[in-house]
Structures are given as C-alpha cells and as structure tokens.
Amino acid sequence: MKRSGENEKQIKDALKQMPKIESNVDKDTLFQRVSSEINGPAGLRKHKRFAFIPVISTIMAIGLVLLLIPTINNSMIQNTNDSSADQAMDNHSSLERSGHDEESSNDAHIMQDKKSFDAANNEAGMMNKESDSLIVQPSDGDKMVIHGAVGDLQGQYIIPISLVVPESSNRMTYINKLDSYLQESKWGVNNYMFSDITFRIDDDNHQVNVKLPKDFSLQGSLNAAMFEDQLAVMFRPYGINKAVFKKQVNLGKIGKVKQLPLRSKKVIYKKYHAAENKRKFLAQIPINEQADFSQALAEMKKDEEPFNIYETIPKQANLSVETNGSRLEIAFSNGDRIIADQKVITMIDAILMTAKNFGYKEVLFSNTGNDTVGPYDLTKPINVPLGANPVTPDS
C-alpha cells in the first residue's frame, strides 16, 4: 500500500509542474469532444465488428448465385430446349410437310408403278394367254373332260370343246347343260346344235339315247353332216358307237332313221381364228383316210384363209417321222430351232391331237434345241391329250 501512495504523490507533483493550459471551449462542447474521444474506440470496435458484413454478403451473394445457377441453367437449358424443340418442331413440321409431299410423290410413283405393273401384268397375261396350250393333258390332275363340239361360222369344220370338270362330277349333268358353258358369239363360232336335246349314255350297250324336241328338223346337207360328226366327236371318246332315237327322225340328207352309227374320221388339226379379238381354237380338218402321218404334217402347213383356218406347222419346219409301235417319233431339223416358242407350242398341240386321231398313244420329239417349251418336257415321250380347246365351268 505504501508504494502505491508514493506513486500517487509522484503523479501529483508531476502534474503541478506541467504548464498551465487555458481553453475558451465551453463545458458542453468539451463534454461532447471528450465523449467522442472516449467512445471512439468502441465505435471503432463496433465498426470493426461489422467489417465482416460485406464478406458475409459476398458469400451470401455467391451462395445465392450458386443456388441460382441451376435454375438459370435449367432456364437456359429449358429455353434452349424450347428453342431446340421449337426448331425441332419447325424442322419436324418442315420434314412432315416434306414427308407428306414426298409421300404424296411416292404415292403418285406407287400408283404410276402400279399402273405400269398392272400394264406389265396385263401384257404378260396377254402373252401368257397367247402362249397357253390348246389341249388338256393327262397330267392335269383329277379331272374329267366333258366332250362337246361346235362348228366354225361357215359350218365347214368341227371345233371340239373340252369342258374340264372334277373327276367326281356327274357326267350326264354336264353333258346336258353343256350349252350354258359355251360362248359362241364371243368366241366367233357357230351356235351349239344340241341346246334343246337331252342325252343319256348307256355304257352297257355302247350307245347314247337321244331325246329330240317335237319341232326338231335339219335343213341342208351340211347341217346333217355336222349333226352326225358332232355327235361322234362328243360320244366316241366314251366308247359310244351309236345314237339311238326314241322314234324315227328325219335327218335330212341322212334320211329317216331310228338310230345313227357314230364313226371316227381321220382328221388333222389346224388353227381356227375367226377374228383378231376372238379366241383361237384347234379345228378338225378331214384328211384322206389313206394318208400317212408325213402327209398329215404336210397338210398342217397349209392355210385356208377364206374359212379362217391357219397352219399349225410353220412352212419352214422340216420334220421327219418314224413309228415305233404306239409311239410316234418326230425329229426337228436344225433350222426349226429359230421358230418362236408359241408356234412350237401350237405345233406340238396340233401334232399330239393329230397323233391321237391316228391311233398313237405317245409322241417323242427330238433335235428340238430345247429341253422344254411351254408346258412340254421334250426330253421324254409325251402322252396324247385328253382333248382339245379346254374350257372350265367358271370361264
């Protein structure tokens, strides 16, 4: 305590030795100054205490920016996406319009292609139709041939008709309704002679019973001959050798008869074609009963244009013939290889039908230059046909 007192005394002595200071400042002003000086450090401390506020604000601002960045990015991305989507939509619309235009263009091309395709098909169909065989082959499946006959428009030659039906069909039903399957006017042939006549085959007695209408009559020798020959063409293939009438009938040049023998005649086959828009047929052309097959082939090269009858063997064709039992062997010369396929098909059709009429069972073609033509395999013997000029019930 003493030491402390000595210090205070020394301080007082020092103060007394200081020079005297006078001031004109009033007490209130002085008080304000002193207060300001006294509060100065605190104020400074207060200022220093809040010196961190800008830093914190900066950090908060940065944080806020960081928080806002995803939103801004999302917004920018969204805007970009929206812009891209809009552009994509515009592009899609443009593409859609372009696609639609292209589709329309494609549709137009498709339609054009279809027209071209249809036209090509029609043309091919016409070519195929032109290349169709004119016979019914035995290999055509489980089929039965109903034999019919009509005449050419001038009544000179017989055109056989082969109605092809399922093998299980009732033969007599089709025979008696044959006229409903014929299109004489469309084909360019004469009217069917037996529309009002009813037939009944008696296989046991090898005859066909014929029921004629009450007003039936034949006029002229040609009609009488056609009547007899057409009956033979229709029923001889079934092994029938006579037609029997219920009562005596006047057959014109043939006379009054109760029955009529049905005989096969020796014929060759040529092409009948009434007009350009009509169907082509193989027609029977009578030939001398003593003619051999070489003579038959020579006759098949001749046209008879006034009767719309045309060759079935091209004039330039050079064929040699040999017989081996029931087989007919025909060799082509080298020059025949230039003959168009359709003519070869028609030629083979006609030769096969003519060979059948001559009693042969099969024909072997050689030196043809091709193994096949149309429906024919020329590497082996070909069986004679079931009939000529096929039609079907739905044709």
Side-chain angles (χ1 to χ4, degrees):
M1 291 295 294
K2 181 179 180 181
R3 191 172 181 179
S4 173
E6 291 177 356
N7 287 340
E8 290 179 359
K9 185 177 183 298
Q10 288 176 1
I11 290 172
K12 289 179 179 180
D13 289 341
L15 288 173
K16 291 177 177 180
Q17 293 175 5
M18 290 182 65
K20 186 178 180 180
I21 298 173
E22 294 182 356
S23 176
N24 295 326
V25 180
D26 62 1
K27 294 179 181 180
D28 292 333
T29 302
L30 181 60
F31 178 77
Q32 291 294 332
R33 288 181 181 178
V34 173
S35 297
S36 176
E37 289 296 329
I38 293 171
N39 294 330
L44 180 60
R45 286 193 299 269
K46 184 177 179 181
H47 177 72
K48 289 182 178 178
R49 186 175 59 193
F50 289 98
F52 294 99
I53 292 176
V55 176
I56 295 172
S57 299
T58 302
I59 294 172
M60 292 178 66
I62 293 172
L64 182 61
V65 169
L66 292 175
L67 290 172
L68 290 176
I69 284 174
T71 305
I72 294 170
N73 285 340
N74 289 339
S75 177
M76 292 177 65
I77 292 169
Q78 182 63 39
N79 290 338
T80 302
N81 288 342
D82 290 345
S83 177
S84 299
D86 291 341
Q87 182 64 33
M89 287 297 293
D90 291 341
N91 291 340
H92 177 72
S93 298
S94 177
L95 288 173
E96 190 175 28
R97 288 193 298 272
S98 175
H100 179 72
D101 294 341
E102 185 177 354
E103 184 178 354
S104 299
S105 177
N106 286 340
D107 287 344
H109 285 301
I110 289 171
M111 290 302 296
Q112 183 61 39
D113 290 345
K114 186 177 184 302
K115 289 180 181 178
S116 300
F117 181 74
D118 290 343
N121 275 345
N122 289 337
E123 183 178 356
M126 291 177 66
M127 292 175 64
N128 288 338
K129 185 176 181 180
E130 179 69 17
S131 299
D132 281 345
S133 175
L134 298 178
I135 65 170
V136 182
Q137 300 184 43
S139 59
D140 283 348
D142 297 332
K143 305 294 183 183
M144 175 170 61
V145 170
I146 304 300
H147 297 277
V150 292
D152 68 293
L153 288 176
Q154 299 188 48
Q156 296 291 322
Y157 301 116
I158 292 176
I159 300 168
I161 300 294
S162 298
L163 179 64
V164 183
V165 299
E167 192 174 27
S168 58
S169 302
N170 185 295
R171 179 177 59 180
M172 293 313 307
T173 298
Y174 281 104
I175 289 175
N176 286 312
K177 295 176 67 175
L178 188 59
D179 60 324
S180 63
Y181 306 114
L182 305 179
Q183 304 177 57
E184 298 98 318
S185 177
K186 180 180 178 180
W187 294 344
V189 299
N190 219 331
N191 290 334
Y192 181 61
M193 297 186 70
F194 310 116
S195 294
D196 299 324
I197 297 176
T198 302
F199 299 106
R200 183 175 63 84
I201 291 178
D202 181 353
D203 290 304
D204 293 337
N205 295 306
H206 305 287
Q207 66 184 42
V208 56
N209 298 317
V210 183
K211 182 180 179 181
L212 300 171
K214 292 182 179 180
D215 58 351
F216 177 82
S217 65
L218 288 175
Q219 297 178 354
S221 58
L222 285 179
N223 280 344
M226 289 295 285
F227 182 86
E228 181 180 10
D229 292 343
Q230 286 189 32
L231 282 176
V233 169
M234 289 177 62
F235 293 103
R236 284 292 299 170
Y238 304 124
I240 303 303
N241 53 35
K242 62 181 177 181
V244 177
F245 304 99
K246 188 174 181 179
K247 60 181 182 180
Q248 194 177 58
V249 60
N250 186 356
L251 295 181
K253 184 180 179 180
I254 297 175
K256 295 181 179 181
V257 296
K258 181 76 181 296
Q259 61 181 32
L260 183 67
L262 302 179
R263 304 182 182 90
S264 295
K265 295 182 177 180
K266 184 172 283 190
V267 298
I268 59 175
Y269 284 81
K270 295 184 184 182
K271 184 172 63 180
Y272 172 76
H273 191 198
E276 193 62 33
N277 62 338
K278 303 297 183 182
R279 178 175 168 170
K280 297 178 177 68
F281 293 90
L282 289 179
Q284 292 184 350
I285 311 299
I287 192 174
N288 190 298
E289 291 290 332
Q290 305 304 316
D292 60 21
F293 208 83
S294 293
Q295 292 172 318
L297 295 177
E299 289 296 319
M300 292 166 71
K301 295 181 179 183
K302 298 178 181 178
D303 294 329
E304 298 179 48
E305 291 188 16
F307 301 106
N308 300 311
I309 298 294
Y310 303 94
E311 64 178 27
T312 45
I313 298 180
K315 294 176 177 60
Q316 73 270 27
N318 185 13
L319 309 177
S320 60
V321 179
E322 290 186 10
T323 300
N324 184 3
S326 62
R327 176 190 296 176
L328 182 67
E329 298 179 356
I330 297 179
F332 288 72
S333 69
N334 290 334
D336 298 329
R337 298 181 184 181
I338 63 172
I339 299 173
D341 282 355
Q342 177 54 50
K343 289 191 175 182
V344 175
I345 293 170
T346 302
M347 175 169 57
I348 293 174
D349 289 344
I351 289 174
L352 290 173
M353 286 300 299
T354 301
K356 181 178 182 177
N357 179 265
F358 272 63
Y360 294 103
K361 301 298 182 183
E362 59 184 18
V363 179
L364 177 63
F365 295 92
S366 60
N367 199 31
T368 59
N370 293 305
D371 290 340
T372 61
V373 59
Y376 295 115
D377 180 355
L378 302 178
T379 63
K380 56 186 179 182
I382 302 172
N383 292 327
V384 296
L386 297 178
N389 307 315
V391 298
T392 58
D394 55 351
S395 63

